[in-house]
Amino acid sequence: AFGPKAHLLIAAPPSGTPWLWNRQAPMRPIPASIGDGTLQRPGFSPLDYGSARSLAWSADGRRVAVGSDEGPIGIFRPAGFRIPTGSPGDEKSLGKPARILTGLDAAVRGLAFLPEGVIGLAQDGQVAIWGFKGEKPLRSWRAHPHRANSIQLQAGSHMVATGGLDGASLWNISDGSHLRRFGSPHSGVSCLHFDPTGPRLAVTYLDGWLAVFEVKTGKALWEKQGHQDVAAAVAFHPSGSWLVSLGWDSQLYRWNAATGKAESAREAPK
């Protein structure tokens, strides 16, 4: 997750503590320790955030949300967060969590900040929304009957897209109502991303395919098979003119967003 000025990046590798990068300093990651590495509340065992699977940074930079494999979500307030230099020993700490959000019972697969709070998606398909006060969800709903993998907010709207083994769907976050399904014959959704400039949604699938849909109608504008293994990630360029996808085959593709033509392909760094 990028910080609000895009020069700080916090990420959680599958096997360890979240790390922090400073794009304005040597690109050496710095451990972003979270207090003593555990998250505790009455009735819960300590949660090891080496198992963090989702991260989000609020637009104002005042809050960081960290989701675990256990379900609860920690909200941290890195007040006075200075830019790390990349020097040995310059370790950042988010301190103790300001709040623990409960209500999800499976691994947290995605998080995002809303103007009024936080939204999260659990691996079992449950979506929950919390306000900026309290621990329990304001509302929740079942988005997918089985495994869910991705959630993405559409900027400037009250809509959110979710993806799981049964495909991708669009929801109204105000009341959790289902708006439409993005139909596709391909196997489960791995990732999705909204076009920041227009009403399009890019979706990658476990069978290596990529599709771009019109949000208003749910119609597929184009579909392509670019990867020989899982197409794991997708993102639009801020201009909306092209997008990239990354697969388990280590191939990184750049696509023309309007036509679906592959403009370049290269092996991703390992």
Side-chain angles (χ1 to χ4, degrees):
F2 278 103
K5 295 183 180 180
H7 60 269
L8 293 178
L9 169 68
I10 190 168
S15 60
T17 301
W19 288 80
L20 185 72
W21 281 264
N22 173 15
R23 296 178 62 194
Q24 299 174 354
M27 294 296 287
R28 188 182 72 82
I30 303 163
S33 63
I34 302 176
D36 58 2
T38 61
L39 181 60
Q40 295 177 316
R41 71 182 296 273
F44 282 83
S45 301
L47 298 179
D48 180 1
Y49 267 80
S51 63
R53 288 293 179 269
S54 54
L55 301 160
W57 215 318
S58 65
D60 60 9
R62 297 173 58 189
R63 297 177 178 90
V64 174
V66 182
S68 75
D69 274 345
E70 305 285 334
I73 297 162
I75 303 296
F76 298 86
R77 292 181 178 174
F81 204 69
R82 64 181 176 82
I83 299 175
T85 64
S87 302
D90 187 15
E91 180 177 306
K92 297 309 300 168
S93 175
L94 297 180
K96 300 264 183 201
R99 278 193 306 147
I100 309 299
L101 307 182
T102 63
L104 296 180
D105 299 320
V108 182
R109 300 294 296 179
L111 289 168
F113 279 91
L114 306 169
E116 67 274 21
V118 179
I119 187 168
L121 172 71
Q123 185 170 295
D124 63 1
Q126 190 79 4
V127 175
I129 294 176
W130 299 264
F132 283 126
K133 294 182 179 180
E135 296 181 350
K136 296 183 179 180
L138 300 176
R139 54 192 175 276
S140 63
W141 68 90
R142 178 73 61 179
H144 301 276
H146 305 294
R147 182 185 176 101
N149 291 321
S150 185
I151 186 170
Q152 176 77 193
L153 287 171
Q154 185 179 42
S157 77
H158 286 278
M159 295 187 292
V160 63
T162 62
L165 293 184
D166 61 330
S169 287
L170 189 70
W171 308 87
N172 185 328
I173 61 176
S174 298
D175 56 12
S177 59
H178 185 257
L179 300 176
R180 68 189 50 87
R181 177 180 170 83
F182 300 97
S184 173
H186 307 295
S187 67
V189 172
S190 56
C191 185
L192 33 77
H193 192 256
F194 280 108
D195 175 3
T197 68
R200 294 178 295 182
L201 178 71
V203 181
T204 50
Y205 296 91
L206 300 177
D207 60 3
W209 281 73
L210 166 72
V212 171
F213 295 90
E214 184 179 52
V215 174
K216 185 177 181 179
T217 64
K219 176 184 176 182
L221 300 176
W222 55 265
E223 296 177 293
K224 298 287 183 179
Q225 183 176 24
H227 298 279
Q228 301 305 310
D229 206 327
V230 173
V234 64
F236 276 97
H237 185 266
S239 69
S241 60
W242 54 274
L243 62 154
V244 294
S245 66
L246 177 66
W248 283 9
D249 56 4
S250 298
Q251 292 299 304
L252 180 67
Y253 283 90
R254 170 172 164 159
W255 306 88
N256 183 300
T259 66
K261 180 181 178 181
E263 297 180 338
S264 66
R266 64 183 63 184
E267 186 171 0
K270 296 181 180 181

